[in-house]
């Protein structure tokens, strides 16, 4: 404790000595107080600005947010569900929530985490019922979204998952070895999404098997590349410091990640000790060559090649940036990696076309790749783009979004007397990520901007101590940003991606040969059952498999008998072909529930451990006689 106080006092003195202006740099105490919203400073910041949307539905650019009943939205918005572990789908601009996709959580409605199909996909990690989903990203071809997949990280249990965007279901999940807490996640943008890149945030002993417990000098973290098709971890790179956020370029050659803990500290004060941390740049070709040439090792039980990318290595470069940077975003013109300063009021623009020279050793200093370092305001966290040369950065401490011009920032950095700040807009309150339509791709269209605000105090009807987040919609189609809508969201969107509706092609009913339930159909075949027509009960020792069809309002089997202690698998095939005609299967008093959508086969396994009569019913309203759609499981005493 005394150490920490000394550190804080020292940092305070230094901050005052170096930067008398409060906006210039934050002392440790001010930062801690404001970030934690405990100090007077924080409270003051939250109350600024009236923040009333001026016109209900029209921004000055003329964008209409009103989507009339029966009309469809122009965009799909995919919102991470934070520590709810799910992904939510919104229609933009109406901000109607259309769907929730369970990913790392378990879902009472769909049976995700309970069904045999979902357990196979989740693998061992299905024992976890929580997740922390931060960064959703849609796959690319040549820098444009191709609508095949959405990928997302799980910080809580070190996983990466893939969602199929034809059926909006999670279809792959991998636990990343040798890392702890996957945070930043981005995709290779060109020529297509071959790799999913994943930042390991926390530094740990390698291998983490009980050795070096209290020797942080021997803790390391890894940057991982996952094959987007097989979802296998292809290789990893060991780095200095830790990794926070990241992005990839538009050529497929480079990726970059922020590091806030170059100190390799284990305490908060320690992580703020150094004046500068890093942006780590990864050279993908060189990493692949190292793997090809056997220039790697493996760690512990994992056989994933680990390339050494610590300082001085050929595969990485460490660019010093102001301390504790956070967001990292690639500008949609492909020119810059933009690292947000967080504790510094600046963002650092790294010129991507200078990286070849940096890696070739043609530059005298790593900082030579910095094209500009514009000062924007307090607490810059993330940046997005409008495709017209402007960037939009969230200012956590100022509770603002700042619109600024990239070209003018560079000219200003080079000594020209031009102003680069265009507008600052109050948001409510404390924004983290922000996102403009299509702004993760080269097709950024500059229509809508979302500021994902962490605090919503006084914006919605009170609901007790836990507050909703507030995702605010801003019209950026005109010269001025204009706030048009407040969206309450539950714990806690970190990030979103918004793509045009024509970039996704969905299936309204399942295909009978879909790989999602192919293994279940294989099992049926081995039992001599054709699930497309048979209703059969197979007894196999103390295992019982009940195959039934469903056609509204009937289950193909309305009673089956098992013995106490049997392991029962119920397989339901929905033979209805009508769009929107989902059935469900819920067995009372057994914690058994699942969705069975049109033409889907779904299965769930449980123990019949109590003798008696147990009703099952369809729990997706399907027919006028939906209430009557059910049957009985008769369990004989053992
Ligand atoms: S992080 S609020 Cu998990 Cu994307 Cu920045
Ligand atoms: Cu079938 Cu409700
Ligand atoms: Ca630091």
């Amino acid at each position: 404790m005394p150490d920490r106080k000394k550190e804080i006092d020292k940092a305070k003195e230094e901050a005052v000595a170096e930067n008398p202006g409060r906006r210039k740099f934050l002392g440790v105490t001010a930062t801690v107080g404001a970030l934690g919203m405990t100090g007077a400073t924080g409270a003051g910041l939250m109350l600024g600005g009236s923040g009333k949307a001026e016109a209900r539905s029209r921004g000055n650019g003329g964008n209409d947010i009103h989507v009339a009943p029966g009309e469809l939205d122009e965009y799909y918005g995919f919102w991470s569900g934070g520590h709810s572990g799910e992904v939510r789908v919104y229609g933009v601009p109406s901000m109607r929530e259309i769907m929730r996709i369970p990913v790392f959580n378990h879902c009472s409605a769909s049976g995700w985490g309970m069904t045999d199909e979902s357990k196979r996909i989740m693998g061992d990690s299905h024992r976890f019922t929580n997740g922390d989903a931060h960064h959703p990203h849609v796959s690319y071809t040549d820098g444009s979204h191709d609508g095949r997949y959405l990928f997302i990280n799980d910080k809580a249990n070190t996983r990466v998952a893939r969602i199929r965007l034809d059926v909006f279901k999670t279809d792959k999940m991998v636990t990343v070895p040798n890392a702890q807490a996957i945070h930043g996640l981005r995709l290779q943008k060109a020529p297509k999404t071959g790799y999913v890149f994943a930042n390991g945030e926390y530094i740990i002993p390698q291998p983490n098997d009980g050795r070096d417990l209290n020797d942080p000098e021997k803790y390391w973290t890894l940057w991982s590349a996952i094959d987007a098709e097989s979802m296998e971890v292809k290789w990893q790179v060991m780095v200095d410091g830790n990794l926070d956020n990241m992005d990839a370029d538009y050529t497929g050659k480079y990726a970059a990640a922020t590091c806030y803990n170059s100190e390799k500290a284990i305490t908060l004060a320690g992580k703020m000790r150094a004046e500068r941390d890093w942006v780590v740049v990864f050279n993908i070709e060189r990493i692949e060559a190292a793997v090809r040439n056997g220039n790697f090792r493996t760690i512990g039980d994992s056989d994933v090649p680990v390339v050494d990318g610590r300082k001085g290595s050929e595969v990485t470069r460490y660019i010093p940036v102001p301390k504790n940077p956070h967001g990292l975003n690639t500008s949609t013109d492909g020119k810059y990696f933009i690292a947000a300063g967080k504790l510094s009021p600046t963002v650092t623009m790294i010129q991507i076309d200078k990286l070849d020279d940096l890696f070739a050793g043609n530059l005298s200093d790593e900082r030579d790749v910095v094209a500009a370092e514009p000062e924007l305001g307090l607490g810059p966290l993330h940046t997005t783009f409008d495709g017209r040369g402007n960037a939009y950065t969230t200012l956590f401490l100022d509770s603002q979004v700042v619109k600024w011009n990239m070209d003018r920032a560079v000219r200003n950095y080079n000594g020209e007397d031009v102003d680069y700040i265009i507008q600052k807009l109050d948001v409510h309150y404390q924004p983290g990520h922000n996102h403009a339509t299509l702004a993760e791709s080269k097709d950024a269209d500059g229509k809508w901007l979302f500021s994902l605000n962490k605090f919503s105090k006084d914006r919605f009807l009170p609901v007790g101590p836990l507050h909703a987040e507030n995702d605010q919609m801003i019209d950026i189609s005109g010269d001025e940003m204009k706030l048009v809508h407040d969206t309450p969201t539950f714990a806690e969107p970190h990030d979103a991606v918004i793509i045009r509706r024509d970039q996704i092609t969905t299936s309204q009913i399942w295909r009978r040969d879909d790989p999602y339930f192919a293994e279940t159909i294989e099992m049926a075949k081995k039992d001599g059952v054709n699930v497309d027509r048979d209703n059969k009960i197979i007894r196999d020792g103390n295992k019982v498999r009940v195959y039934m069809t469903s056609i509204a309002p009937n289950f193909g089997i309305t009673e089956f008998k098992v013995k106490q202690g049997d392991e029962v698998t119920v397989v339901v095939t929905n033979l209805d072909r009508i769009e929107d005609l989902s059935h469900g299967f819920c067995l009372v008093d057994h914690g058994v529930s699942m969705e069975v959508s049109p033409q889907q086969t779904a299965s769930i396994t449980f123990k019949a451990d109590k003798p008696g009569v147990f009703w099952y019913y369809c729990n997706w309203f399907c027919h006028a006689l939906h209430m009557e759609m059910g049957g009985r499981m008769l369990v004989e005493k053992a």
Side-chain angles (χ1 to χ4, degrees):
M1 232 25 211
D3 270 7
R4 176 150 180 265
K5 190 177 177 305
K6 235 184 282 165
E7 262 166 14
I8 291 173
D9 289 341
K10 188 162 160 275
K12 237 199 292 189
E13 274 165 35
E14 283 169 359
V16 172
E18 281 175 28
N19 298 300
R22 170 177 163 271
R23 304 189 67 84
K24 207 67 190 161
F25 208 85
L26 281 159
V28 173
T29 313
T31 311
V32 173
L35 285 171
M37 295 303 303
T38 50
T41 325
L45 286 167
M46 279 180 62
L47 295 170
S50 82
K52 296 280 178 287
E54 281 161 38
R56 199 188 63 82
S57 69
R58 245 172 231 278
N60 63 334
N63 272 349
D64 195 346
I65 71 165
H66 185 64
V67 179
E71 281 180 12
L72 301 182
D73 282 288
E74 196 177 345
Y75 304 92
Y76 284 101
F78 296 92
W79 256 243
S80 79
H83 45 296
S84 76
E86 64 188 7
V87 164
R88 300 172 195 143
V89 185
Y90 289 88
V92 175
S94 73
M95 289 312 284
R96 299 185 288 209
E97 186 189 279
I98 305 170
M99 187 45 67
R100 295 181 173 201
I101 306 170
V103 186
F104 304 113
N105 57 326
H106 288 194
C107 174
S108 169
S110 66
W112 181 257
M114 290 183 254
T115 63
D116 298 331
E117 291 74 32
S118 64
K119 283 178 173 173
R120 268 178 222 132
I121 291 163
M122 296 176 98
D124 277 353
S125 79
H126 129 271
R127 69 187 188 278
F128 300 129
T129 57
N130 74 312
D132 191 2
H134 286 215
H135 300 114
H137 291 287
V138 174
S139 56
Y140 298 87
T141 301
D142 295 326
S144 294
H145 292 298
D146 60 22
R148 290 177 298 147
Y149 300 121
L150 180 135
F151 299 89
I152 191 155
N153 72 300
D154 172 19
K155 176 165 166 167
N157 295 306
T158 317
R159 291 175 287 184
V160 174
R162 181 175 82 182
I163 292 167
R164 270 173 53 187
L165 291 182
D166 58 340
V167 288
F168 283 54
K169 297 285 182 207
T170 306
D171 84 319
K172 293 264 189 196
M173 196 174 289
V174 60
T175 299
V176 178
N178 309 323
Q180 208 163 86
I182 296 299
H183 186 230
L185 175 141
R186 292 291 180 133
L187 312 177
Q188 202 173 20
K189 296 182 168 75
K192 69 187 264 268
T193 299
Y195 294 124
V196 178
F197 299 120
N199 284 354
E201 182 169 351
Y202 296 121
I203 51 175
I204 48 170
Q206 297 290 355
N208 193 20
D209 59 1
R211 75 185 69 192
D212 306 329
L213 282 186
N214 213 3
D215 192 357
E217 275 307 306
K218 292 194 186 144
Y219 295 179
W220 309 98
T221 195
L222 305 177
W223 186 66
S224 302
I226 298 160
D227 183 284
E229 286 303 328
S230 68
M231 288 294 280
E232 281 163 18
V233 182
K234 281 299 200 206
W235 41 256
Q236 301 182 297
V237 179
M238 184 178 280
V239 295
D240 272 307
N242 73 348
L243 296 169
D244 190 4
N245 280 289
M246 66 151 298
D247 207 344
D249 72 354
Y250 279 89
T251 69
K253 241 168 133 175
Y254 297 109
T258 48
C259 162
Y260 62 78
N261 189 17
S262 62
E263 300 89 343
K264 287 187 73 175
I266 47 168
T267 63
L268 188 146
K271 289 173 191 164
M272 295 198 292
R273 195 174 292 131
E275 272 316 305
R276 286 192 160 165
D277 290 298
W278 299 308
V279 166
V280 188
V281 181
F282 298 91
N283 185 320
I284 296 162
E285 280 167 18
R286 286 194 183 181
I287 296 164
E288 287 173 331
V291 173
R292 263 198 316 275
N293 300 333
N295 202 355
F296 63 80
R297 64 169 170 128
T298 59
I299 297 175
D301 301 337
S302 141
D303 55 9
V304 175
V306 177
V307 175
D308 192 346
R310 290 174 291 186
K311 273 189 131 181
S313 119
E314 275 308 292
V315 302
T316 52
R317 290 292 182 269
Y318 288 74
I319 301 167
V321 296
K323 64 158 68 173
N324 293 40
H326 182 61
L328 194 133
N329 298 86
T330 308
S331 60
T332 52
D333 57 13
K335 286 189 190 163
Y336 307 108
F337 286 137
I338 299 182
K342 189 167 77 183
L343 299 193
S344 158
T346 57
V347 296
T348 305
M349 300 172 71
I350 292 167
Q351 198 171 325
I352 292 172
D353 68 11
K354 280 195 174 168
L355 294 176
D356 284 351
D357 278 337
L358 178 66
F359 275 92
N362 299 338
L363 304 177
S364 54
D365 189 296
E366 281 101 348
R367 292 275 301 174
D368 290 350
V369 299
V370 174
E373 206 152 67
E375 188 174 320
L376 300 177
L378 292 184
L381 288 188
H382 292 277
T383 300
T384 189
F385 309 93
D386 64 8
R388 300 189 291 268
N390 303 312
Y392 300 76
T393 301
T394 50
L395 302 173
F396 183 85
L397 299 177
D398 279 341
S399 276
Q400 288 181 320
V401 172
V402 51
K403 175 181 179 181
W404 54 283
N405 183 274
M406 291 185 281
D407 182 52
R408 280 190 250 154
V410 173
R411 282 159 53 202
N412 177 287
Y413 192 73
N414 292 329
E416 232 182 285
D417 184 22
V418 287
D419 197 4
Y420 47 81
I421 302 240
I422 299 170
Q423 188 196 353
K424 290 187 173 184
L425 182 77
D426 289 335
V427 293
H428 314 84
Y429 307 91
Q430 264 74 33
H433 275 270
N434 66 352
H435 287 275
T437 40
L438 294 162
E440 306 282 323
S441 73
K442 64 180 189 193
D443 308 314
D445 65 0
K447 279 179 108 169
W448 302 107
L449 169 74
F450 288 85
S451 175
L452 308 190
N453 307 318
K454 305 292 188 186
F455 293 76
S456 69
K457 182 180 105 88
D458 76 22
R459 299 298 285 188
F460 304 115
L461 287 176
V463 287
L466 180 63
H467 288 49
E469 273 65 61
N470 185 10
D471 295 350
Q472 288 187 299
M473 185 158 81
I474 296 160
D475 182 351
I476 55 167
S477 62
D479 292 335
E480 257 182 64
M481 295 185 278
K482 195 163 172 195
L483 176 64
V484 291
H485 184 69
D486 278 15
T487 316
T489 46
F490 180 64
E492 153 185 324
H494 284 249
D495 193 1
V497 58
I498 304 152
I499 75 175
R500 279 196 323 270
R501 70 179 189 209
D502 62 75
Q503 291 177 308
I504 294 183
T505 310
T506 66
S507 307
Q508 307 313 105
I509 62 175
W510 287 91
R511 283 177 30 191
R512 288 299 301 140
D513 59 356
D514 198 291
Y516 192 78
F517 42 77
E519 271 193 55
T520 307
I521 290 187
E522 248 342 278
M523 174 181 79
K525 277 192 190 143
K526 280 193 201 128
D527 280 338
V529 172
N530 177 350
V531 292
D532 290 318
R533 60 151 209 258
D534 295 344
N535 288 290
K536 261 191 193 163
I537 298 161
I538 306 288
R539 176 163 282 282
D540 168 10
N542 63 350
K543 293 190 171 150
V544 180
R545 290 184 284 279
V546 181
Y547 294 95
M548 66 175 88
T549 57
S550 65
I551 302 178
N554 290 295
F555 282 123
I557 291 179
T558 51
E559 72 174 74
F560 61 89
K561 201 182 272 179
V562 299
K563 288 198 189 70
Q564 183 181 8
D566 280 348
E567 183 190 284
V568 182
T569 299
V570 173
V571 181
V572 183
T573 299
N574 181 348
L575 295 182
D576 280 306
R577 289 170 183 281
I578 299 162
E579 180 177 342
D580 207 2
L581 213 166
S582 292
H583 298 288
F585 178 89
C586 177
L587 176 68
V588 176
D589 293 341
H590 281 75
V592 163
S593 171
M594 63 180 176
E595 161 203 358
V596 199
S597 278
Q599 296 288 295
Q600 181 179 8
T601 295
S603 82
I604 194 161
T605 301
F606 57 93
K607 195 150 232 171
D609 47 11
K610 298 174 286 256
V613 172
F614 298 96
W615 285 89
Y616 52 87
Y617 65 96
C618 172
N619 58 3
W620 230 285
F621 210 110
C622 56
H623 190 275
L625 293 172
H626 157 83
M627 290 304 294
E628 288 80 354
M629 184 170 175
R632 289 170 305 148
M633 175 174 79
L634 313 175
V635 186
E636 288 175 343
K637 243 192 187 124

